[in-house]
Amino acid sequence: MTDEAATVPLHLVTIVAESVLEARLLELLGASGARGWTVSEARGRGSRGVRASEWEGRNVRIETLVTPAVSERVVAALARDYFPHYAVIAFVDEVRVVRGEKYA
Amino acid sequence: MSEALIQLAGNLSHPAILGFGLGVLAFFLRGDVRLPESVHAALASYLLLAIGLKGGVALTSTPGGELALPILVTLALGCATPVWCYAALRRMLGFSVPDAAALAAHYGSASIVTFTASVAYLEALGVPHESFMSALVAILEVPAILIAILLARRSHGSTAPLSLVLREVLTGRSILLLAGGMLMGLLTGAEGMRKVEPFFVAPFAGALTLFLMDMGAIAASRMRDLGQVGGRLIAFAILAPLAHAVVGAWLGKAAGLSVGGTALLATMAASASYIAAPVAVRLALPTANPALYLTAALALTFPLNLVIGIPFHAMLAHAFHD
């Protein structure tokens, strides 16, 4: 049974990007106020087929739980600096997080 | 059979080149010989570190005076090629600023794998070369990338600060491993190298063969894009390496390198980077079209150098030394 009182509403921001961007994106998350993230390798197909390097890996998927204010900053920065020229997608879910006070 | 054909046959029967051929063939037969991505990355790291180590150890036994001139001509080569490539691509071939700069970075920098295949070829023929050549290839890798990025920024501006670009170029995996391996080799010397020799020296040619098989499949998958890049770029990707090889061989002879060393400098000059440059360029010049620089470097220049270029560079070296 879910205990509603023990969960906190937060934003789950998921970014899938070409992996050369990983270091830059994590820096952006940190600077925007995210406390932590999960990075995994990803494969797939999208509108931009070309990656800069085969051996640096193809895509990364970055997930982070943040407050709505932080998620807004992240998405705005992505739209400004990365969407025009890079293969990046991002989406925001509203989620309820156990021990959510860790992330806010 | 003429000398040229003997040289070409010698190169084509090298296991590493045959491995590359198998990768290409498998791709067109729709078979799958691709290595898992992590294995590919691990093999690349192994090759880069091994080359760095070898170069570093070689430096410990080379008197500094002997190195000065070869280092100087390598730096000159690394600084001059991106400038003339950029000018030719902009003015003569009409490429945009970011595309011209991106291509100049790739063709001014060097391909470590092509260099390594050239070393394997010379060793199979029994042609000796200066052991510090792998230090030179590390030196050649960086300046062109920086110069090309600076050229583009001068006339175009860029969002990323220069310090960030510099950091990203210098801390890219290939440069860290190559330069780091060299430092390790310098510190540990021939004595220390003996401890890792069974791992870093003996299996090297085998690892290269496996890596080139994978590269064959990757290069072949890019060959499909050749139709879209246009005749101008195809001409550049064939002719620029030829011109660079001649300049490289001439400089090698002028710097007092042996026939083997001269051939290797020609290979380095002719090769186009497809490990360090693409990552740096993608980050620093995001408006440049990766389909152009990757296809040119990987699908055209790399296989041409590997199959025909390497024996041609050896012949050039002989010609300059006669």
Side-chain angles (χ1 to χ4, degrees):
Chain A
M1 202 176 93
T2 329
D3 182 358
E4 281 282 324
T7 62
V8 173
L10 281 172
H11 280 185
L12 166 63
V13 182
T14 306
I15 306 167
V16 182
E18 49 193 297
S19 56
V20 290
L21 296 178
E22 180 178 333
R24 282 192 180 184
L25 291 176
L26 297 185
E27 213 160 288
L28 163 69
L29 289 185
S32 306
R35 298 273 180 85
W37 43 75
T38 304
V39 181
S40 36
E41 287 176 18
R43 279 197 305 269
R45 177 177 177 154
S47 57
R48 291 174 189 253
V50 179
R51 293 295 169 274
S53 171
E54 302 281 350
W55 80 287
E56 290 278 345
R58 293 186 186 114
N59 287 314
V60 285
R61 179 189 174 105
I62 302 170
E63 288 158 298
T64 180
L65 289 164
V66 291
T67 60
V70 173
S71 106
E72 245 170 60
R73 279 202 288 276
V74 170
V75 171
L78 285 176
R80 190 186 61 230
D81 298 333
Y82 295 99
F83 288 159
H85 304 303
Y86 294 104
V88 180
I89 60 167
F91 48 90
V92 180
D93 285 317
E94 288 180 11
V95 292
R96 300 196 64 86
V97 180
V98 185
R99 296 188 303 152
E101 62 284 355
K102 269 170 54 120
Y103 309 96
Chain B
M1 201 158 64
S2 77
E3 178 65 13
L5 284 176
I6 297 171
Q7 299 251 8
L8 190 61
N11 186 42
L12 289 179
S13 61
H14 194 283
I17 305 300
L18 292 171
F20 182 80
L22 176 61
V24 173
L25 183 72
F27 177 83
F28 286 112
L29 293 175
R30 294 168 192 251
D32 187 11
V33 292
R34 280 300 311 272
L35 300 172
E37 207 165 293
S38 51
V39 176
H40 181 90
L43 272 177
S45 298
Y46 168 86
L47 294 173
L48 289 163
L49 197 63
I51 295 164
L53 269 171
K54 249 174 85 177
V57 172
L59 288 182
T60 59
S61 58
T62 313
E66 222 172 275
L67 279 170
L69 208 49
I71 288 182
L72 205 68
V73 297
T74 306
L75 279 175
L77 197 61
C79 295
T81 40
V83 175
W84 93 257
C85 281
Y86 180 79
L89 287 157
R90 272 298 281 148
R91 306 258 164 77
M92 288 159 59
L93 300 171
F95 281 92
S96 71
V97 167
D99 284 335
L103 285 162
H106 285 73
Y107 282 81
S109 182
S111 155
I112 308 288
V113 180
T114 312
F115 166 80
T116 309
S118 192
V119 170
Y121 170 74
L122 292 176
E123 278 172 0
L125 286 184
V127 180
H129 62 270
E130 290 79 359
S131 45
F132 57 75
M133 292 309 288
S134 47
L136 296 189
V137 76
I139 292 173
L140 186 59
E141 224 191 346
V142 182
I145 300 177
L146 293 177
I147 288 173
I149 290 171
L150 286 174
L151 282 172
R153 292 168 69 95
R154 205 179 48 126
S155 54
H156 223 59
S158 167
T159 47
L162 197 61
S163 60
L164 179 66
V165 170
L166 199 64
R167 199 185 72 197
E168 280 171 345
V169 171
L170 295 179
T171 59
R173 195 142 62 127
S174 67
I175 297 197
L176 262 186
L177 285 166
L178 206 53
M182 215 166 356
L183 191 64
M184 285 162 65
L186 264 174
L187 293 174
T188 196
E191 182 87 0
M193 188 65 181
R194 267 194 290 279
K195 295 176 189 145
V196 291
E197 220 156 20
F199 183 75
F200 276 114
V201 179
F204 187 87
L208 178 67
T209 303
L210 197 57
F211 186 76
L212 277 179
M213 181 191 74
D214 206 38
M215 286 310 304
I218 293 174
S221 72
R222 290 250 171 242
M223 286 174 190
R224 283 179 310 191
D225 299 335
L226 274 178
Q228 295 155 24
V229 299
R232 289 173 307 160
L233 186 56
I234 291 177
F236 177 82
I238 294 172
L239 296 177
L242 285 178
H244 290 168
V246 174
V247 175
W250 177 68
L251 283 175
K253 167 76 166 88
L257 293 175
S258 66
V259 172
T262 303
L264 287 176
L265 195 66
T267 300
M268 283 181 213
S271 69
S273 164
Y274 57 82
I275 293 182
V279 177
V281 163
R282 186 76 186 115
L283 289 168
L285 304 170
T287 51
N289 180 2
L292 294 182
Y293 55 77
L294 279 179
T295 307
L298 204 51
L300 214 52
T301 301
F302 175 56
L304 279 179
N305 271 330
L306 210 54
V307 175
I308 302 168
I310 288 171
F312 169 65
H313 304 150
M315 287 173 58
L316 266 181
H318 279 293
F320 272 100
H321 276 268
D322 276 344

